[in-house]
């Protein structure tokens, strides 16, 4: 499989009891705003908010020094804690590459698929390995 050189860092905020809308407005938006002004080589940002959890994916230019980017994100995330709801803990920060993410996900279903056929279906692979 070809290597896709798009470094990605996910920032996962957790605050039990906040609605998805509150997570977005009070945590995710604040982080996104600060990221765009303080972290170098960002290509684009995507975010999703759920009840109690906010996930921000920061996609970087291929030429980024990822260790510097992670350090900048960590520093910014620590700095904004004062602006977030009281009791907020630092986020989980995960670094990976776009090539680590599955390209396709599929589901198989229907009447008549017995349990003993499922392992066979799970072992199907694609590609020229």
């Amino acid at each position: 499989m070809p290597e896709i050189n798009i470094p990605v860092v996910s920032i996962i905020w957790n605050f039990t009891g906040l609605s998805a809308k509150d997570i977005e407005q009070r945590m995710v938006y604040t982080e996104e705003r600060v990221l765009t002004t303080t972290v170098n080589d960002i290509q684009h940002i995507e975010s999703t908010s759920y009840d109690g959890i906010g996930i921000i994916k920061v996609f970087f230019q291929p030429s980024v020094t990822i260790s510097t980017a992670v350090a900048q994100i960590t520093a910014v995330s620590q700095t904004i804690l004062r602006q977030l709801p009281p009791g907020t803990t630092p986020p989980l920060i995960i670094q990976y590459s776009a090539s680590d993410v599955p390209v396709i996900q599929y589901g198989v279903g229907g009447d008549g698929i017995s349990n003993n056929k499922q392992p066979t279906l799970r072992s199907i692979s694609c590609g020229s390995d």
Side-chain angles (χ1 to χ4, degrees):
M1 179 111 84
E3 182 71 23
I4 302 169
N5 187 23
I6 303 173
V8 183
V9 174
S10 285
I11 307 157
I12 304 166
W13 288 98
N14 185 356
F15 197 102
T16 304
L18 284 183
S19 69
K21 184 176 180 177
D22 285 337
I23 290 281
E24 177 185 7
Q25 293 176 344
R26 299 175 69 187
M27 300 176 88
V28 170
Y29 176 73
T30 302
E31 175 95 15
E32 287 177 333
R33 191 179 66 231
V34 174
L35 288 171
T36 59
T37 60
T38 59
V39 178
N40 300 325
D41 298 316
I42 293 177
Q43 187 178 66
H44 73 280
I45 298 174
E46 298 175 4
S47 63
T48 307
S49 298
Y50 304 97
D51 289 344
I53 298 174
I55 302 170
I56 303 166
K57 293 180 187 173
V58 184
F59 294 80
F60 290 94
Q61 300 293 336
S63 60
V64 71
T65 304
I66 196 65
S67 59
T68 301
V70 169
Q72 290 173 333
I73 288 173
T74 302
V76 138
S77 298
Q78 291 291 329
T79 301
I80 68 166
L81 278 173
R82 293 180 253 130
Q83 301 169 32
L84 301 179
T88 300
T89 57
L92 175 62
I93 298 173
I94 303 170
Q95 172 202 333
Y96 54 98
S97 173
S99 60
D100 296 332
V101 178
V103 176
I104 188 169
Q105 206 170 13
Y106 66 92
V108 178
D111 295 331
I113 297 178
S114 64
N115 286 337
N116 62 351
K117 295 285 185 188
Q118 289 177 7
T120 304
L121 292 173
R122 279 187 244 139
S123 67
I124 295 172
S125 65
C126 300
S128 58
D129 291 335

